[in-house]
Every structure is written in structure tokens, then in C-alpha cells.
């Protein structure tokens, strides 16, 4: 029986000068070696072969289609566009693999990959036909088909089979997670909209909700502090903005304006600063 050596660290007693302590010591243990997983080895080898075939296919297709396109454009642009023909169906094949647990989502990239593959094969065949070697064009086009077919077999082998109920369960799980993920940008937009509304309300004076019950304002005194109402609360503001808001709301008494400024803007606002802003606001008004 084949064995393998495993090293473990254990605490062993060690006595020095009559005192015993537990010290770590590395111990070698011989364990039976597991049998070789030939399925895993063969699958790794097949995957490596598929990678080599795909690389050769990309090189061949790019050279062939690049030669076809270089008849009308400069070579760098021609070969840069030629590689797109193979990258398109390779990308579609990768997306199909990512959606392997959802047949409905995998159907679109599968069809798109087949279309891109046919276009790439036609381009390679056209290059051989224009060069006067249609047989070489057909064989060259078959290279892309063989690479695509090999990768389809490899990926299909690694895709676990799922029954209908399990597929539906996974679909609902993904749908629930997707809904939670989609709510994140929506909530950001809602919060941003609420913030804009709050900023707009803070920047503009509030309009009266209803007309005054007493339309006769001939006896109204703007300087009477008892008739003025304190503005509603809102977001924080500067001392200057708080003074302007208080005056616009009918607060003309410097003491009440100072109290409002200390409540909304700066709790340590000085009376002289507030009185200066009151004078400037009245002069500007």
C-alpha cells in the first residue's frame, strides 16, 4: 500500500531541571495515500487540449480574416478587426457557461455564439476562395467549427444535470437576490430626490397654505413681535440665512431673531453679528 508522509505539530512533555513543560514538536505520520483520480486527470488533460485548440483556432482565423480585410484597409486595422470574429463566439460561449444553471438565460448566448461562429467560418472560407484555394478555405473554416464543438463538449460534460424543480428553485433564489440588488440604486435615487426637495424648500420661502382669514391689513403692524410667527424647522443654515429667514417670516424683534439664529444656525451667535445682518438685510430689502 502506498503511503504519504504528513507532518503534524504536537505538544510533548519536556523536563529541564526538574520542571516539565509542554513544548511543540513536529511529528511525521505515515498515512495511506489515496488512489489516483484518473477522471480528474483525464478531464484536466482534455481541458488543456481544448485550450490549445482554441488558441490555434484564434491564430489561424485571425491570420486568414486579417489577410482578407487587408485587401481594402491597412494591415494593423485589418488584423485588429479580424480577431473580433473569434472573440465574439468565445465570449458568447463563456456567458453560456455562466448561465448553465438557467436554460432560459443560456439560450440567447448559445444562439448568438452559433451566429458569430458561422460568420467567422464564412470569412475564413471567403479568404481561401478569393485566394484561389477554395479547398483550403473550407478546411480553414472547419478549424473554428472544431474548436467550438470541442469546447461545447467539454463544458456540457462539466455542467451538472438538474431536474425541473431544482432549476425553478435556483431561478427563484436568483430572482430574489436580483430584486434585493436592484433596490440599491433605486433607494439611492429616492434619497437623492428627497434631498433635492429638502434643499429646494430650504432655499425658497414657504408659500402660505391658505388665504388670511382677515383680508383687512390696514391695522397690521409689521413691527409688532406678537403678530409674527417663528419659521418652521428645516435643515441647518448659516447665521446670515437664518436672519434673512426670520425677517422674511415677520420676526422684526432683534431678540426673537437672535433666539431663532441660535436655534437654527449657531448656538453661540453674538447679538452684534445678528444686528449687523439685520441692518444689511433691511438695507438690501
Amino acid at each position: 500500500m502506498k503511503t504519504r508522509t504528513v507532518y503534524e505539530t504536537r505538544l510533548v512533555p519536556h523536563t529541564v531541571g526538574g520542571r516539565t513543560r509542554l513544548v511543540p514538536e513536529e511529528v511525521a505520520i505515515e498515512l495511506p495515500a489515496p488512489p489516483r483520480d484518473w477522471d480528474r486527470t483525464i478531464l484536466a488533460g482534455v481541458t488543456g487540449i481544448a485550450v490549445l485548440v482554441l488558441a490555434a483556432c484564434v491564430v489561424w482565423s485571425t491570420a486568414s480574416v486579417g489577410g482578407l480585410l487587408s485587401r481594402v484597409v491597412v494591415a494593423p486595422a485589418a488584423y485588429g478587426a479580424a480577431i473580433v470574429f473569434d472573440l465574439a463566439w468565445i465570449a458568447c460561449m463563456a456567458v453560456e457557461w455562466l448561465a448553465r444553471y438557467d436554460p432560459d438565460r443560456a439560450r440567447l448566448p448559445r444562439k448568438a455564439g452559433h451566429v458569430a461562429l458561422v460568420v467567422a467560418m464564412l470569412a475564413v472560407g471567403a479568404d481561401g476562395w478569393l485566394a484561389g484555394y477554395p479547398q483550403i478555405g473550407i478546411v480553414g473554416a472547419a478549424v473554428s467549427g472544431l474548436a467550438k464543438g470541442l469546447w461545447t463538449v467539454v463544458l456540457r460534460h462539466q455542467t451538472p444535470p438538474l431536474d425541473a424543480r431544482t432549476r425553478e428553485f435556483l431561478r427563484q433564489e436568483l430572482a430574489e437576490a436580483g430584486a434585493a440588488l436592484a433596490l440599491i440604486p433605486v433607494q439611492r435615487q429616492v434619497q437623492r430626490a428627497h434631498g433635492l426637495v429638502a434643499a429646494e424648500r430650504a432655499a425658497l420661502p414657504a408659500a402660505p397654505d391658505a388665504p388670511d382669514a382677515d383680508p383687512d391689513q390696514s391695522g397690521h403692524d409689521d413691527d409688532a413681535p406678537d403678530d409674527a410667527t417663528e419659521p418652521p424647522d428645516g435643515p441647518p443654515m448659516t447665521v446670515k440665512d437664518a436672519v434673512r429667514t426670520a425677517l422674511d417670516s415677520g420676526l422684526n424683534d432683534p431678540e426673537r431673531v437672535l433666539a431663532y439664529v441660535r436655534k437654527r444656525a449657531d448656538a453661540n451667535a453674538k447679538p452684534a453679528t445678528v444686528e449687523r445682518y439685520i441692518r444689511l438685510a433691511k438695507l438690501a430689502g
Side-chain angles (χ1 to χ4, degrees), residues 235-245 260-261 264-266 269 277:
M237 57 182 68
T238 63
V239 174
K240 183 177 180 180
D241 292 338
V243 171
R244 169 61 66 182
T245 302
Y260 178 75
V261 170
R264 294 298 316 284
D266 185 1
Y277 281 129

Side-chain angles (χ1 to χ4, degrees), residues 73-149:
V73 296
V74 294
Y79 288 96
I83 197 174
V84 175
F85 285 81
D86 273 345
L87 292 182
W89 64 263
I90 292 174
C92 291
M93 186 172 57
V95 175
E96 179 185 354
W97 164 255
L98 294 176
R100 60 190 179 277
Y101 299 119
D102 191 346
D104 294 335
R105 297 178 60 192
R107 188 175 298 111
L108 177 60
R110 184 183 303 113
K111 292 181 178 179
H114 291 160
V115 173
L117 176 64
V118 171
V119 173
M121 293 176 67
L122 290 176
V124 174
D127 179 63
W129 181 72
L130 291 178
Y133 301 99
Q135 298 85 353
I136 296 179
I138 295 174
V139 174
V143 173
S144 298
L146 291 174
K148 167 69 173 175

Side-chain angles (χ1 to χ4, degrees), residues 200-256:
E200 187 73 13
R201 289 176 178 175
L204 298 177
D209 295 336
D212 196 342
D214 183 11
D216 186 7
Q217 300 293 331
S218 58
H220 181 71
D221 186 4
D222 292 338
D223 295 333
D226 295 337
D227 295 339
T229 58
E230 186 172 323
D233 293 338
M237 57 182 68
T238 63
V239 174
K240 183 177 180 180
D241 292 338
V243 171
R244 169 61 66 182
T245 302
L247 294 177
D248 292 341
S249 301
L251 297 180
N252 294 316
D253 184 10
E255 294 296 332
R256 297 189 64 184

Side-chain angles (χ1 to χ4, degrees), residues 17-83:
R19 301 183 62 182
T20 302
R21 294 184 181 276
L22 295 177
V23 297
E25 183 180 17
E26 195 174 58
V27 180
I29 302 175
E30 295 293 331
L31 297 178
R36 188 177 185 86
D37 189 354
W38 287 105
D39 291 344
R40 186 77 177 179
T41 303
I42 293 174
L43 182 59
V46 171
T47 304
I49 294 174
V51 171
L52 293 177
V53 171
L54 183 63
C57 169
V58 172
V59 173
W60 169 264
S61 179
T62 301
S64 180
V65 179
L68 175 66
L69 298 179
S70 62
R71 300 172 184 267
V72 292
V73 296
V74 294
Y79 288 96
I83 197 174

